[in-house]
Amino acid sequence: MPVQPTWDVSQIDYRAIVNDWHAVCLSSEVEEDKILPIRLMGEDLVVWRHDGAIHAWKDYCRHRGAKLSLGWVKGDRLVCPYHGWEYDGQGQCRHYPAHPSRTPGPRSRAYTHKAEERYGYIWVCIGEPKGEVPAFPNWLDDDYRKVSAGPYVYQANALRAIENFLDVAHFPFVHADLNGDPNAPDELETYDVNVTPEGLTTSEIKVFQPYGDHRGIPVTAKYAFSCSSPTTAYFEKKTGDTERFCTLMMATPVEQNKCIVRLIVAINFGEELTTEQILKRQDLVFNQDRRMVETQRPHPLPVNVRDEIHLSSDKLGVEYRRWVQRRAKDHDLSILTEAPTVDA
Ligand code: FES
Ligand SMILES: [Fe+2]
């Protein structure tokens, strides 16, 4: 059975993130009794909603391999478009139209995955989640205005995209005259990276930014990063005693070398500024990053730190690579294999 996704499971980045939650779409993209096909880690999935509950399954009918995403919702069931098998919300087939009096057996189940809704997005784990959806500390704080940005489609590995997000040394060059001055790049002070089984956090990293946020004014910014899953990262940026510009970045791994970057920014100042002003700057910055990340070689993140050259300012990237490598070693992929089945 094609239970395994097409992504090569021997790849380190696959093994490091298979048990993580990944943001796959906006909650609003999946309406009641509607179906949305999505792709995650080389797998076609069908996401659907009934009675408000969200379901994310492999886009695959156990009968003849048809795409469930071509089907429809009927009552509380998802109906396969080919021979009309009806699956309930737990993925169990409840009705074979060609044999209406026969009770479908336990093997006639869709391949279900875990799904959650958080922060206005739908999160899916195709393995066994080891914890909660990554934290977003500003989400419930009414002092912060929240704006979703993206999606930005990168023809690049998701881990490359996140490492770029965690890297301030590129600011003066990739984001020249926005996040840094190419003619006077900051000399970066040393900073601390705390590594725990839950992820990475840093002390503050100070940089000068000529156009530091949507206000278009120069700021001295202090970034504190955290990363609780390899494909989800966060920073809090201080630009004054009380001003905070925070960003949750979600890099959805679509294929090994394709990801979709989604952001939620949380800002506690500049109420008078428009959403368009915020999005304009985000779009500019993340499209500038795209050019770098899409052209880095090799396309996968080199997690063996000997493969590239690192400076002290790369400390967060180095620890990120080591952490990804450790997670890959820890993860058991046996959950992704299943013996062939005959029928109910
Ligand atoms: S392939 Fe789905 S019902 Fe036959
Ligand atoms: Fe960048």
Side-chain angles (χ1 to χ4, degrees):
M1 288 307 274
V3 188
Q4 285 192 346
T6 52
W7 200 335
D8 179 359
V9 296
S10 67
Q11 289 288 335
I12 279 184
D13 52 354
Y14 183 94
R15 284 186 281 137
I17 62 178
V18 68
N19 291 330
D20 287 324
W21 292 103
H22 300 284
V24 296
C25 61
L26 285 165
S27 285
S28 58
E29 290 176 78
V30 190
E31 296 170 31
E32 178 72 8
D33 291 339
K34 291 283 165 47
I35 289 173
L36 184 73
I38 60 142
R39 202 157 162 83
L40 177 65
M41 299 177 74
E43 262 210 77
D44 288 322
L45 303 184
V46 56
V47 179
W48 63 286
R49 187 195 294 279
H50 177 72
D51 263 352
I54 202 79
H55 306 282
W57 300 351
K58 191 175 181 70
D59 193 359
Y60 178 85
C61 178
R62 293 296 294 272
H63 179 219
R64 289 289 181 270
K67 284 203 155 195
L68 295 173
S69 60
L70 300 176
W72 56 91
V73 178
K74 174 182 162 192
D76 59 355
R77 296 177 182 176
L78 183 63
V79 183
C80 176
Y82 200 178
H83 310 94
W85 284 25
E86 296 180 12
Y87 295 92
D88 70 15
Q90 279 67 52
Q92 174 62 46
C93 181
R94 294 289 174 198
H95 183 57
Y96 302 137
H99 305 280
S101 60
R102 184 170 166 191
T103 302
R107 303 300 303 230
S108 293
R109 284 186 68 84
Y111 293 113
T112 58
H113 295 307
K114 309 272 191 317
E116 295 268 352
E117 288 190 85
R118 209 66 61 83
Y119 322 133
Y121 287 84
I122 290 169
W123 298 72
V124 174
C125 174
I126 65 170
E128 283 299 324
K130 297 284 190 249
E132 301 286 313
V133 168
F136 183 28
N138 314 101
W139 181 249
L140 294 176
D141 188 337
D142 290 338
D143 290 342
Y144 286 81
R145 167 188 193 179
K146 272 73 93 180
V147 176
S148 280
Y152 309 108
V153 179
Y154 286 10
Q155 299 299 329
N157 183 280
L159 303 184
R160 285 283 200 187
I162 292 286
E163 190 190 58
N164 167 266
F165 179 82
L166 300 173
D167 171 291
V168 303
H170 77 275
F171 286 176
F173 306 101
V174 178
H175 311 299
D177 302 320
L178 285 171
N179 284 350
D181 180 350
N183 298 311
D186 286 305
E187 179 174 355
L188 296 171
E189 297 165 8
T190 57
Y191 57 88
D192 298 324
V193 180
N194 300 308
V195 184
T196 70
E198 287 73 45
L200 312 174
T201 58
T202 69
S203 59
E204 290 178 349
I205 306 172
K206 192 168 76 176
V207 292
F208 171 74
Q209 301 190 320
Y211 185 160
D213 54 53
H214 48 300
R215 293 171 298 182
I217 59 171
V219 296
T220 297
K222 292 177 186 163
Y223 281 78
F225 290 94
S226 62
C227 190
S228 56
S229 113
T231 56
T232 310
Y234 171 83
F235 69 67
E236 180 189 80
K237 171 164 127 177
K238 291 184 188 171
T239 53
D241 288 341
T242 59
E243 292 164 357
R244 303 284 183 274
F245 185 106
C246 307
T247 302
L248 182 76
M249 170 166 167
M250 302 159 276
T252 311
V254 177
E255 310 286 349
Q256 188 145 35
N257 295 318
K258 178 180 178 184
C259 67
I260 301 177
V261 172
R262 298 176 167 95
L263 310 169
I264 311 173
V265 297
I267 313 167
N268 72 351
F269 59 88
E271 275 304 314
E272 69 286 3
L273 298 165
T274 64
T275 301
E276 289 67 36
Q277 282 174 290
I278 296 169
L279 291 178
K280 185 178 171 194
R281 191 173 182 288
Q282 296 300 316
D283 292 351
L284 181 57
V285 167
F286 282 81
N287 282 314
Q288 289 172 333
D289 284 321
R290 176 213 309 280
R291 185 165 159 259
M292 286 302 113
V293 176
E294 287 187 345
T295 53
Q296 283 178 283
R297 290 146 299 155
H299 294 304
L301 185 71
V303 293
N304 185 341
V305 295
R306 291 195 183 147
D307 288 349
E308 291 185 326
I309 296 164
H310 311 285
L311 307 177
S312 60
S313 49
D314 299 316
K315 187 171 181 180
L316 178 53
V318 169
E319 293 302 337
Y320 176 74
R321 291 177 182 204
R322 287 185 172 138
W323 179 55
V324 168
Q325 192 175 37
R326 281 197 301 278
R327 286 171 62 99
K329 283 187 185 137
D330 290 347
H331 282 178
D332 173 12
L333 291 179
S334 60
I335 52 164
L336 294 173
T337 57
E338 183 173 308
T341 185
V342 181
D343 183 28

